[in-house]
Amino acid sequence: MTPAAAKESGLRRSMAWIHTWLGLLAGWILFAMFLTGTASYFRPEITRWMQPEIALSRVSPEHAAQTAIAHMQAAFPRDEQWTIYLPDERTTATRIFTRARDNPDPKAPRPPRTPEIRLDPATGATLNARETRGGEHFYRFHFQLQIPHPWGRWLAGLCAMFMLTAIVSGVITHKRIFVDFFTLRWKKGQRSWLDAHNVSAVLALPFHAMITYTGLITLVLMYMPWPIAANYKPPSAFAADAYGREDETEASGRPAPLTDIGPLARAAAAEWHGGRPGRIVVRNPNDAAATVAIIRDGADTLNARGQSITYSGVDGHRLSASPAPGPAITTAGVMLGLHMGWFAGPVLRWCYFLLGLTGAAMVATGLMLWTAKRGKPGAMPFFGYRLVQRLNIGAIACLPAGMAAFLLANRLIPATLPGRADLEVSTMFWMWFGLAAASLLRPVRRAWIETLAIAAAICAAVPLVNALTTGRGLIHSIMVGDGLFIAVDLVMLCAAALLGFAAWHAARKPLPASRTRRVSGPKAAAPREMVDAA
């Protein structure tokens, strides 16, 4: 072997070691992040499905803003700030957060935080629907992992760093990665898992690299705050330079009626050449110092960081606008837009969804490949091997059961029960961790069969229970053209079929593990490198 060949072989083996162990250590969390993140591409639709009492109202942003302001004038006219999230074609409600004024007495406690207000955008009436976190739960779990701030985000970021490193090292390791993409051998034990891992990885390799890198960039200021801390005193001044946010003005104490919000929304849309207002922030309403900031909807362009225009809340004249973003801010906004997929239409959104599922499959097959490579017939399994086997069951088989149980709980928990949103979330974790704990009492093969079968049954139960509790079952939805309920039912039935097939396949008599014959010579080098990369 020439020195150059020996150096290349050493590099590939080093990259294989990095690929294997970084992928293993973060694999179970990455699988959960991929699966819940993929579901989050339909976050508004999941929320709509989980509140079947609400019908989708299509109104203009100006009309929704006016009805929201009218409601807030009647309910919270003296609050310090209203933040109004306007609905779009995918959402059913106007969402409002209000902040009360602090007590002038410095010793007095701060006023309690007002819960989110959800209004009918057409009428401004409070929506009466079952309490739920909806798709927001999957979205938040995707990058916070149900761990208190900021530790969940730190852990998710660390796993994303492992993922990015595993992607790069995997590309370096697999010399024939694109050739092997066209090879998928069934019933070959370890070799089949390797082929499945290669196919799921290469099929969406650019997407996997993009989604991992952009996910890191979205929270980069939390991971690397030192440049801002070193150049801005205080660091909050960075926002004013980057986004044009002005210091919050204090109330003057002189009453003044709030101007009509509709013309301001139309003026902002005209200045953005048809851009859609997505959020309105009213500060010091009904005061002579009132301001109205209108922020552009991030779904309008690839850049998810929308521009803003600030108007006087008394006479409506234009006060300021966010500065033209520089290259760095534009790049950060585009990275955020690529990761979130807000700009995507229905077809591209489904592409995001399917590519996200290939990411979950890539991680799952990699974890299975690790055990397939080290499972030697007749040998006593070591502790690490047994641990990975059980963690694989807990993540790959039990998490889908927990996610389906979350949807099922939405239909089974009484709609008027207080605190039902937290109960839905708890149901997901009780099912996930409870099923994983129960699997420890069964042999590994039986645990795979039973947990996959239970997950399939729960997924299949979702359309059935939905039909029995809402009257919006699959047949009725097809008859009336209810695309949302048709899509959810079909996705759950497909998930049930896939999990059921996996349970059936696991129940079959396993084939003997394939043995890799060690031979010397250049012809055996490429396959050996691929197996070592597992």
XYZ file of all heavy atoms in Angstrom, residues 143-144 147-156 222-223:
128
model
N -37.174 21.498 19.620
C -35.908 22.173 19.948
C -35.750 22.484 21.438
O -34.717 23.050 21.836
C -35.748 23.462 19.128
C -36.744 24.538 19.438
C -36.445 25.531 20.353
C -37.978 24.572 18.810
C -37.358 26.540 20.626
C -38.896 25.573 19.075
C -38.582 26.556 19.997
N -36.721 22.127 22.257
C -36.584 22.326 23.702
C -36.649 21.028 24.488
O -36.237 20.997 25.659
C -37.678 23.274 24.210
C -37.530 24.672 23.680
C -38.542 25.653 24.260
O -38.368 26.867 24.161
N -39.608 25.165 24.853
N -37.540 20.302 28.293
C -36.575 20.574 29.362
C -36.581 22.079 29.614
O -36.655 22.864 28.664
C -35.164 20.093 28.973
C -35.186 18.571 28.743
C -34.143 20.435 30.045
C -33.866 18.022 28.231
N -36.495 22.526 30.871
C -36.566 23.967 31.152
C -35.535 24.766 30.371
O -34.430 24.296 30.086
C -36.317 24.039 32.670
C -36.739 22.707 33.188
C -36.407 21.721 32.108
N -35.929 25.995 30.027
C -35.053 26.923 29.307
C -33.878 27.309 30.212
O -34.059 27.564 31.401
C -35.850 28.170 28.926
C -35.066 29.188 28.163
N -34.843 29.092 26.812
C -34.437 30.325 28.579
C -34.133 30.131 26.421
N -33.879 30.889 27.460
N -32.631 27.375 29.659
C -32.248 27.144 28.261
C -31.665 25.758 28.014
O -31.114 25.512 26.956
C -31.179 28.210 28.049
C -30.457 28.241 29.370
C -31.515 27.975 30.437
N -31.769 24.868 29.019
C -31.025 23.615 28.941
C -31.519 22.730 27.806
O -30.713 22.035 27.165
C -31.099 22.892 30.286
C -30.709 23.786 31.414
C -31.503 24.253 32.424
C -29.418 24.369 31.628
N -30.797 25.083 33.253
C -29.513 25.177 32.793
C -28.198 24.300 30.962
C -28.432 25.894 33.291
C -27.117 25.014 31.456
C -27.252 25.798 32.609
N -32.820 22.733 27.544
C -33.315 21.935 26.434
C -32.756 22.393 25.104
O -32.382 21.574 24.253
N -32.675 23.700 24.920
C -32.132 24.229 23.661
C -30.642 23.940 23.546
O -30.139 23.663 22.455
C -32.396 25.730 23.578
C -33.879 26.076 23.558
C -34.124 27.549 23.299
N -35.547 27.867 23.326
C -36.064 29.005 22.909
N -35.270 29.949 22.413
N -37.368 29.229 22.957
N -29.948 23.994 24.664
C -28.525 23.658 24.644
C -28.325 22.201 24.247
O -27.445 21.879 23.433
C -27.898 23.924 26.008
C -27.432 25.339 26.190
C -28.070 26.338 26.851
C -26.217 25.911 25.678
N -27.331 27.495 26.781
C -26.184 27.277 26.085
C -25.148 25.415 24.927
C -25.139 28.128 25.759
C -24.094 26.269 24.603
C -24.105 27.604 25.017
N -29.127 21.313 24.825
C -28.991 19.893 24.493
C -29.360 19.643 23.034
O -28.665 18.887 22.336
C -29.887 19.061 25.418
C -29.877 17.546 25.190
C -28.467 16.986 25.308
C -30.822 16.853 26.164
N -30.429 20.265 22.549
C -30.804 20.104 21.149
C -29.706 20.634 20.231
O -29.401 20.027 19.193
C -32.123 20.833 20.876
N -27.466 32.257 20.963
C -27.481 31.682 22.293
C -26.224 30.849 22.538
O -25.653 30.860 23.626
C -28.719 30.799 22.473
C -28.901 30.276 23.890
S -30.347 29.210 24.082
C -29.720 27.691 23.343
N -25.779 30.138 21.494
C -24.589 29.313 21.645
C -23.299 30.139 21.641
O -22.312 29.756 22.267
C -24.512 28.280 20.511
C -25.741 27.417 20.372
C -26.256 27.098 19.124
C -26.405 26.925 21.491
C -27.381 26.306 18.986
C -27.542 26.137 21.363
C -28.023 25.838 20.122
O -29.144 25.063 19.987
